[in-house]
Structures are given as C-alpha cells and as structure tokens.
Amino acid sequence: MKEKYHRAITREALHLHFGPVALAEVVHANVGQDAIRYQFGHDHFHYDNNAFRAGDAYVAEQRRLVIETLKMNGLPSVARAAFGRLTHTVQDFYAHSNYVTLWREQYPAATPQEIEPSVPEILTSPRLSSGRIYAPLEYLSFFPFLAPALLPLLPRDSHAWMNKDDPLRPDFEYAYSAAVKRTQHEFEQICLALSAAQCAVFLGKA
Ligand SMILES: [Zn+2]
C-alpha cells in the first residue's frame, strides 16, 4: 500500500478506540516500515515474494511483543510501535497477495464492504501467492512515470502486476476494506488478551 492509504486504513480502523497521541504513534510505526532500507531483504514486512510463513511469524512476534510489554507494565509507546509494525504487514497482505482475487472468485457479486479478511480455505490455499520482486526492473517501476513502459516487460506474477497499492490498481477497494477489517480484528485480539486497565494504557486512555 502507498503510505497515504496505510495512514487512512489505520486511522479508519482504530480512531474510535485510541486516543489521538497513541494513534499517532501507531500510524508513525506503521508507515516507518516502508522506509527505503526496509524495501530490500524485508519481504516478511510486506508479504512480498510469497513470504507468507515469515510474514505470519513476524506478525505473531509483534503481537506477542505488544501483549508482553503491556502485561509487564512496560512503556506503552513500545507496545504501540510493535502494533504499528504489525498493522503495516497485515495491511500489505491484501495489497500484495492474490487473497482478494481468490475471495472474489467465490463471491463475484459481493461489494468491497462485504469482503471477509480471514477465510481459512483461502489462507491455506495452495493457490495463494504474492507478487515477486524482479530486480532491478521492479524497483524502477516504483516511479509512476516509468511504470507504464516497464509493466509489459515484467511477468504476471510480479509485484508490479499483482499489487493493489493504490486506487489505480484493480480491486484496490477490496484490498482496502479487507485491510481495515483485519486491522480492527488484530486490535480486538490484543485487547482480549489484556485486562481492561492494560488495554486503557495501550489506547492512551488510562
Ligand atoms: Zn509495505
């Protein structure tokens, strides 16, 4: 996802729960995952190159860090940063994999608002895949003015063809809606593991 949409998705999913300062910390950590130094060799941050197992492990690790930090009365900003990193990765899952395509095969008439973000048969399907980064052409295609010329040169399983990072890409609205729902779900799962007081600290409402 482009930074603008990571911000919008995170705010839309969480603004009713988090205080403004706490939410800003989550958003800051989320968009920090797309720093240039994390675009190379960090497939698990973005579910690129079919890094599903590594992406899932990263999400689980960040979730554990959030919960342990709050249970041990650690700094809430440490927990919010871990949660921000988690939200980035789960949001990219829908933008970089073919989850949306596989879901729409089953429900061709469904609207973006109806998408279910975690259908087990799709998550475990052998057909689930994510865009491959074909260096160096792929990196050049990140420049919008070069993308139209480069796209025909890249294979169909490339990130350039598969991504739903912005509204110009097919099915972007489905990826966006799934990302909002999954971000809300991740938040709910974390607060279920915490006491009401610990959750209030996390949300900046203690
Ligand atoms: Zn990313």
Side-chain angles (χ1 to χ4, degrees), residues 81-128:
F83 185 56
R85 295 191 291 269
L86 179 163
T87 61
H88 183 101
T89 301
V90 299
Q91 291 164 7
D92 271 352
F93 174 77
Y94 303 99
H96 296 169
S97 79
N98 63 345
Y99 179 94
V100 164
T101 306
L102 297 177
W103 188 83
R104 293 204 67 205
E105 279 179 13
Q106 292 185 23
Y107 306 99
T111 66
Q113 286 67 38
E114 290 171 321
I115 193 164
E116 304 156 285
S118 302
V119 175
E121 304 83 75
I122 302 179
L123 294 175
T124 57
S125 168
R127 294 175 60 215
L128 185 70

Side-chain angles (χ1 to χ4, degrees), residues 1 6 33-34 39 45-46 88 92 96:
M1 290 270 183
H6 275 299
Q33 296 294 90
D34 272 342
Q39 297 292 347
F45 281 18
H46 320 282
H88 183 101
D92 271 352
H96 296 169

Side-chain angles (χ1 to χ4, degrees), residues 60-94:
E61 181 189 318
Q62 299 310 308
R63 191 186 294 122
R64 188 187 53 75
L65 184 56
V66 175
I67 293 168
E68 308 257 296
T69 300
L70 293 160
K71 285 196 166 175
M72 287 160 55
N73 297 318
L75 287 174
S77 56
V78 170
R80 290 171 201 146
F83 185 56
R85 295 191 291 269
L86 179 163
T87 61
H88 183 101
T89 301
V90 299
Q91 291 164 7
D92 271 352
F93 174 77
Y94 303 99

Side-chain angles (χ1 to χ4, degrees), residues 35-185:
I36 291 289
R37 67 186 182 281
Y38 297 146
Q39 297 292 347
F40 307 91
H42 289 77
D43 291 340
H44 56 301
F45 281 18
H46 320 282
Y47 279 110
D48 288 326
N49 280 317
N50 291 305
F52 292 112
R53 208 178 295 171
D56 292 348
Y58 183 70
V59 168
E61 181 189 318
Q62 299 310 308
R63 191 186 294 122
R64 188 187 53 75
L65 184 56
V66 175
I67 293 168
E68 308 257 296
T69 300
L70 293 160
K71 285 196 166 175
M72 287 160 55
N73 297 318
L75 287 174
S77 56
V78 170
R80 290 171 201 146
F83 185 56
R85 295 191 291 269
L86 179 163
T87 61
H88 183 101
T89 301
V90 299
Q91 291 164 7
D92 271 352
F93 174 77
Y94 303 99
H96 296 169
S97 79
N98 63 345
Y99 179 94
V100 164
T101 306
L102 297 177
W103 188 83
R104 293 204 67 205
E105 279 179 13
Q106 292 185 23
Y107 306 99
T111 66
Q113 286 67 38
E114 290 171 321
I115 193 164
E116 304 156 285
S118 302
V119 175
E121 304 83 75
I122 302 179
L123 294 175
T124 57
S125 168
R127 294 175 60 215
L128 185 70
S129 66
S130 75
R132 287 187 59 186
I133 307 281
Y134 289 92
L137 277 190
E138 190 76 47
Y139 293 116
L140 293 174
S141 77
F142 289 173
F143 296 102
F145 62 97
L146 288 176
L150 292 172
L151 209 51
L153 305 175
L154 285 158
R156 289 289 176 147
D157 68 347
S158 64
H159 177 276
W161 276 103
M162 287 184 67
N163 84 80
K164 299 164 197 65
D165 282 342
D166 65 59
L168 296 174
R169 304 292 309 156
D171 287 344
F172 170 78
E173 292 80 9
Y174 290 86
Y176 184 103
S177 175
V180 170
K181 291 183 184 188
R182 176 70 182 276
T183 301
Q184 286 167 337
H185 175 75

